[in-house]
Amino acid sequence: MGYVIFDKVSATPTKPVVEEGGKFAKENGCDFIVALGGGSVIDASKAIGLMATNPSDDLWDYVMFGTGKKQWPPVPSLPIVAITTTAGTGSETDGGAVITNPETQEKTGVFGTGTMPVIAIVDPELMVSVPASFKAYQGFDALFHSTEGFISNKRNEMSKMVASEAIRNVSANLKAAIAEPENIEAVSNVAFGSYLSGIQMCVGSCTSAHPLEHALSAMHEKLPHGAGLIMISKAYYQTFIDKHVIDDRFVEMARLMGMQDADKPEDFITVLTKMQEECGVADLKMSDYGITPEEFPGMLQNAKDTLGVNFLNDPCALTDEEYLKIYQESYR
């Protein structure tokens, strides 16, 4: 059996690279795709799989949000075998791909029939060499997939169950997985939590935190997605805590994260802050990535245009001013 290698996917998979990969797969008569890498590689492979089988050579024809042409891909994707080398995105468990269009500065979801990986291989030994900072970014991405699902108004018993176990596994093991790279048990538990968080996104949902961050990293490509989520996390969750609409859920998450005597929603922020300090990511600054407060109104509009559906999952409705305040309070 022959094979060809396409190795042009970057940390932020882009429309031009995906289109080039689709053409590459077509020209070489590929029967399936092996996505070996992190979430970016797996996401790109899903979109490449669609471009390899469908008639259009413009990915944005098949994008349902923002400036996309909103055409459902008529032909199923090439089959995807996902071998993940990171614990964060959970992309090996779902059919969605997050792709950036540099021309429009949109970072949004791509979907189609057949993009769910037919096989997912989650081997923690492939993850031990990931640099510590990226282990942290990826681990918090996995955590937030489930904390968002836990507070979502679309939560159900299945999504609550997998989110609870994901929160428990990631929060209890991420510090050790970062500090002790050869601690396979800790890395395995974080990888398991990431896998469960991917399932949470299939049976439940994320909230507005993800599109709010996608706008940050769409406009500043050097910002890792997980780092952006960390930056806005405390202000984001504090906003809903102040509304007192789901106090019990925040208390329960604090307990899942190790604070067994938690009895008020603010305890979630306390334990989240401690976890960020222990994992060495408490001092991340937007300004280090060239982000300026003047960009926030445009970023909010970008977030709503590209993944506005996630805003509908928030535990209560917020005004644009309240979303802008999350950006503003997160800025350093």
Side-chain angles (χ1 to χ4, degrees), residues 230-231 234 276-277 280-286 288 332:
I230 292 166
M231 290 173 182
K234 288 188 285 186
Q276 291 179 358
E277 291 171 348
V281 294
D283 297 323
L284 292 172
K285 296 179 181 178
M286 289 187 188
D288 287 344
R332 292 193 282 178

Side-chain angles (χ1 to χ4, degrees), residues 277-298:
E277 291 171 348
E278 290 177 342
C279 293
V281 294
D283 297 323
L284 292 172
K285 296 179 181 178
M286 289 187 188
S287 56
D288 287 344
Y289 293 88
I291 298 168
T292 63
E294 290 73 24
E295 296 175 278
F296 291 155

Side-chain angles (χ1 to χ4, degrees), residues 91-114:
S91 187
E92 70 276 8
T93 68
D94 65 55
V98 178
I99 307 297
T100 296
N101 185 339
E103 290 186 2
T104 61
Q105 292 189 314
E106 292 173 293
K107 186 174 183 180
T108 191
V110 176
F111 302 89
T113 305

